């Protein structure tokens, strides 16, 4: 390709809302353009990168025996009503009507459609297992579309769905997908971890996320310093917390604690370590067609983990409760405790179970209890609620945990029979009995990966593509296109490499050298060949983008050197 013909509108200015390097450089480098909030177009070079990533995903998926299909973006709402997700999915689901008032959704994920594809067509265990996948457009009306391709509203996902006769077979495919995703992200040259995850709106049991370790990640991941344990903070476990600080011995009694509404105030006043106190977090839980005030109790030294809390109460979402709403249900803000609490639904962190000598609110203005023991609560009250912190101990090996940032690039789920049951998708098993399918589903954020490649590899000048994903491997820059010798030599190298099927770009634009080298650094091809004045002495320069190191090479030796570098 000649740069003079390439549509790559590079700019000096980044969009105002672009805070991350991948967003800035993909727009400035002419890879993508924005048409609306969370809506992006891929320009020629962006499309090349996108296709390269897509091909790697496709090659690895095909190698597992999964079969590629293509499902429509527009889906009848009826299917979503059958699964129960039409209401449960919340505002991310874009719902629309046609001219006849029929309801549809724009597919944010395709479990419903794929179940419809196989139900009544696969009737026997003999036709199982089956894995269908696609690499297509998704639409999610994200609350905060941002960071360019990292969180769009329209984006491309590889989504695969597998069908099985039993749990064992489903787990086998899950393991195969874990292995396959590992191959995909390794081929892309990314530094990643597979972590235990929460299953979110997709549902089901065991799920794992693939996280690329990156400073600008939106996810907090908990990693063990010693063993292989790693989890999204939303699902992270820890060894039960203990302390060497002695418990304050006291019989159950009520203390006047006037105006002391925070845990710190109360603990300071009573000379108790916050480990021995119970903190109440009041939230408004949003359900499909109702809402209610719910209280979550965690240790004073812990924080509530919101996703865990959502899972505990089965809500779609939790929002902060207004003081007025709290008072209205009969709670005394600042003095709420589990003992004798009856006016609201509440949950207690499971690490508090059977603990003694605790301090908590007495559900009476200006009073706290001391000497509280946690023995008399029903089992259903307890749930894993607290957020794991750096320095907590690993649930597997007891070593210290640390917290780091990650970007989710893939998510694999064991769905079990959830969708097949809800949508009456069954087959006849070995004993001739009708059974709902066991399913798994597996997603890769293909368009997100374009941005992740840059988050993982850039400097202050621009992108640094690796050879697996670069739009072109080499940029041949003619320093002065008016110099005939430079042009002729550059063209000969360009033609020779093209003949050998190397992906090369010839920067033949009638621009100053400084402008062209800036574009090279911004776009970030792995190598550049600079054909300049020194050609008169038979010399040219090769630049490596990663290091910006320059090597002077004799013009006769250039082809051999480049063949080695680009291979
Ligand atoms: P997130 O927590 O980042 O919103 P998710 O859990 O909603 O992701 P999944 O439903 O598991 O995502 O979708 C599979 C993959 O699709 C994700 O791992 C991610 O790489 C990608 N993805 C999800 N939402 C978006 C988005 N808004 N823009 C781009 N890619 C996305
Ligand atoms: Mg999401």
């Amino acid at each position: 390709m000649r740069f003079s013909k390439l549509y790559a509108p590079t700019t000096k200015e980044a969009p105002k809302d672009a805070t991350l390097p991948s967003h800035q450089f993909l727009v400035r480098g002419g890879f993508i353009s924005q048409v609306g909030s969370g809506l992006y177009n891929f320009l020629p070079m962006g499309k090349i990168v996108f296709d390269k990533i897509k091909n790697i995903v496709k090659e690895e998926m095909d190698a597992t025996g999964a079969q590629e299909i293509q499902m429509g973006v527009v889906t009848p709402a009826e299917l979503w009503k059958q699964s129960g997700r039409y209401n449960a999915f919340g505002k991310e689901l874009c719902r629309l009507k046609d001219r006849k008032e029929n309801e549809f959704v724009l597919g944010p994920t395709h479990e419903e459609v794929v179940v419809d594809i196989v139900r009544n067509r696969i009737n026997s265990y003999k036709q199982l297992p089956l894995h269908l996948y696609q690499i297509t457009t998704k639409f999610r009306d994200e609350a905060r579309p941002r960071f360019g391709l990292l969180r769009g509203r329209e984006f491309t996902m590889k989504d695969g769905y597998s069908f099985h006769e039993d749990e064992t077979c489903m787990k086998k495919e899950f393991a195969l997908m874990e292995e396959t995703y590992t191959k995909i992200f390794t081929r892309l040259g990314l530094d990643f971890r597979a972590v235990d995850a929460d299953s979110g709106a997709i549902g089901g049991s065991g799920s794992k996320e693939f996280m690329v370790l990156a400073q600008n990640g939106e996810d907090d991941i908990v990693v063990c310093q010693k063993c292989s344990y790693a989890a999204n903070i939303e699902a992270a476990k820890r060894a039960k917390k203990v302390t060497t600080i002695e418990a304050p011995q006291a019989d159950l009694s009520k203390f006047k604690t006037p105006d002391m509404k925070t845990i710190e105030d109360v603990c300071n006043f009573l000379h108790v370590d916050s480990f021995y106190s119970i903190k109440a977090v009041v939230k408004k839980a949003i359900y499909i067609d109702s809402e209610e005030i719910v209280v979550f109790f965690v240790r004073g030294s812990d924080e509530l983990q919101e996703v865990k809390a959502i899972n505990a109460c089965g809500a779609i979402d939790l929002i902060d409760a207004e003081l007025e709403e709290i008072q209205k249900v009969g709670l005394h803000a600042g003095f709420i405790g589990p003992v004798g609490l009856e006016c609201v639904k509440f949950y207690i962190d499971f690490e508090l179970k059977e603990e003694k000598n605790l301090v908590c609110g007495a559900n009476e203005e200006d009073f706290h209890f001391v000497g509280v023991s946690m023995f008399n609560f029903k089992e259903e009250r307890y749930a894993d609620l607290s957020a794991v912190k750096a320095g907590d101990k690993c649930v597997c090996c007891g070593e210290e945990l640390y917290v780091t940032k990650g970007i989710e690039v893939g998510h694999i789920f064991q769905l079990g029979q959830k969708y097949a049951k809800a949508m009456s998708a069954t087959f006849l098993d070995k004993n001739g009995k009708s059974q709902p399918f066991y399913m798994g589903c597996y997603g890769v954020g293909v368009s997100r990966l374009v941005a992740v490649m840059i988050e993982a590899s850039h400097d202050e000048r621009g992108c640094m593509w690796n050879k697996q994903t670069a739009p072109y491997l080499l940029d041949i820059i003619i320093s002065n296109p008016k110099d005939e010798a430079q042009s002729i030599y550059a063209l000969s190298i360009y033609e020779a490499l093209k003949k050998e099927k190397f992906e090369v770009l010839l920067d033949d634009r009638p621009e100053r050298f400084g402008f062209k080298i800036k574009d090279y650094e911004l776009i970030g091809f792995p190598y550049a060949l600079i054909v300049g004045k020194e050609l008169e002495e038979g010399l040219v320069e090769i630049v490596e983008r990663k290091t910006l190191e320059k090597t002077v090479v004799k013009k006769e030796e250039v082809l051999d050197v480049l063949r080695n570098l680009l291979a």
Side-chain angles (χ1 to χ4, degrees), residues 92 140 142 151:
E92 273 187 28
R140 294 182 183 178
E142 297 273 354
R151 187 166 296 285

Side-chain angles (χ1 to χ4, degrees), residues 260-448:
M260 286 166 214
K261 298 199 176 198
T262 68
I263 279 292
E264 295 79 59
D265 289 347
V266 176
C267 290
N268 283 339
F269 178 70
L270 297 171
H271 301 291
V272 171
D273 189 85
S274 62
F275 182 84
Y276 293 106
S277 68
I278 301 178
K279 174 158 79 186
V281 185
V282 188
K283 292 278 176 185
K284 186 153 83 178
I286 311 295
Y287 297 96
I288 291 175
D289 36 33
S290 64
E291 51 185 51
E292 79 180 302
I293 298 291
V294 180
V295 183
F296 300 93
F297 293 106
V298 295
R299 263 189 211 285
S301 51
D302 278 330
E303 300 302 327
L304 181 72
Q305 211 303 316
E306 213 152 287
V307 172
K308 291 181 177 179
I310 286 178
N311 290 340
C313 68
I316 297 174
D317 198 10
L318 289 179
I319 56 177
D320 289 336
E322 301 289 331
L323 185 60
E324 224 171 74
E325 297 170 309
I326 297 174
Q327 287 167 341
K328 208 170 144 198
V329 293
L331 291 169
H332 299 272
F335 306 95
I336 305 168
V339 179
L341 185 61
E342 276 169 358
C343 59
V344 287
K345 196 193 253 183
F346 67 92
Y347 296 90
I348 305 167
D349 186 55
F350 66 175
E351 284 192 21
L352 285 166
K353 195 172 167 184
E354 294 177 9
E355 292 291 280
K356 287 175 283 198
N357 300 309
L358 301 167
V359 173
C360 69
N363 299 315
E364 197 179 322
E365 207 63 29
D366 290 341
F367 282 98
H368 276 82
F369 283 129
V370 300
V372 172
S373 300
M374 302 295 283
F375 285 101
N376 297 324
F377 296 97
K378 286 194 204 118
E379 195 57 37
E380 308 90 81
R381 293 267 184 227
Y382 291 102
D384 180 8
L385 294 177
S386 53
V388 173
K389 285 192 265 221
D392 287 352
K393 301 288 189 292
C394 177
V395 69
C396 298
C397 74
E399 268 304 311
E400 264 192 24
L401 298 167
Y402 65 92
V403 180
T404 182
K405 291 279 180 194
I407 305 175
E408 183 190 325
V409 289
H411 199 166
I412 56 177
F413 300 81
Q414 299 177 30
L415 296 173
Q417 296 174 305
K418 173 178 164 171
Y419 289 90
K421 265 190 186 153
M423 298 181 69
S424 309
T426 58
F427 67 99
L428 292 181
D429 70 8
K430 284 191 182 86
N431 307 314
K433 223 180 119 204
S434 178
Q435 294 273 6
F437 296 106
Y438 280 85
M439 289 175 64
C441 78
Y442 321 93
V444 173
V446 178
S447 53
R448 177 179 284 185

Side-chain angles (χ1 to χ4, degrees), residues 49-108:
V49 174
F50 174 83
D51 283 344
K52 285 191 168 186
I53 294 173
K54 185 170 149 175
N55 286 340
I56 290 176
V57 175
K58 179 173 163 51
E59 275 174 28
E60 294 299 338
M61 286 304 295
D62 288 345
T64 69
Q67 299 170 59
E68 190 173 5
I69 59 170
Q70 187 167 322
M71 296 182 258
V73 177
V74 179
T75 309
E78 171 53 26
L79 288 179
W80 281 72
K81 288 180 181 167
Q82 286 174 19
S83 72
R85 285 207 294 185
Y86 188 68
N87 292 321
F89 212 86
K91 288 188 175 162
E92 273 187 28
L93 184 65
C94 183
R95 300 158 173 91
L96 52 134
K97 281 183 184 170
D98 66 8
R99 62 170 83 194
K100 294 178 186 153
E101 295 288 303
N102 296 314
E103 293 173 312
F104 295 88
V105 307
L106 294 184

Side-chain angles (χ1 to χ4, degrees), residues 394-520:
C394 177
V395 69
C396 298
C397 74
E399 268 304 311
E400 264 192 24
L401 298 167
Y402 65 92
V403 180
T404 182
K405 291 279 180 194
I407 305 175
E408 183 190 325
V409 289
H411 199 166
I412 56 177
F413 300 81
Q414 299 177 30
L415 296 173
Q417 296 174 305
K418 173 178 164 171
Y419 289 90
K421 265 190 186 153
M423 298 181 69
S424 309
T426 58
F427 67 99
L428 292 181
D429 70 8
K430 284 191 182 86
N431 307 314
K433 223 180 119 204
S434 178
Q435 294 273 6
F437 296 106
Y438 280 85
M439 289 175 64
C441 78
Y442 321 93
V444 173
V446 178
S447 53
R448 177 179 284 185
L449 275 166
V450 174
V452 168
M453 297 306 300
I454 300 308
E455 284 306 322
S457 178
H458 65 269
D459 62 12
E460 71 289 347
R461 296 173 199 225
C463 310
M464 301 196 299
W465 296 102
N466 60 22
K467 285 201 263 178
Q468 291 70 41
T469 52
Y472 294 95
L473 296 186
L474 175 73
D475 183 16
I476 302 174
I477 303 175
I478 306 172
S479 183
N480 176 12
K482 284 187 193 142
D483 181 324
E484 209 177 333
Q486 285 185 23
S487 291
I488 291 172
Y489 174 80
L491 193 66
S492 73
I493 300 292
Y494 170 68
E495 294 292 355
L497 289 172
K498 241 177 56 168
K499 218 180 229 162
E500 294 175 36
K501 302 270 181 263
F502 287 109
E503 298 153 337
V504 284
L505 186 68
L506 177 68
D507 196 346
D508 55 347
R509 294 177 296 174
E511 302 282 354
R512 281 176 304 105
F513 173 73
F515 178 82
K516 292 194 272 198
I517 196 80
K518 279 230 160 63
D519 266 1
Y520 164 72

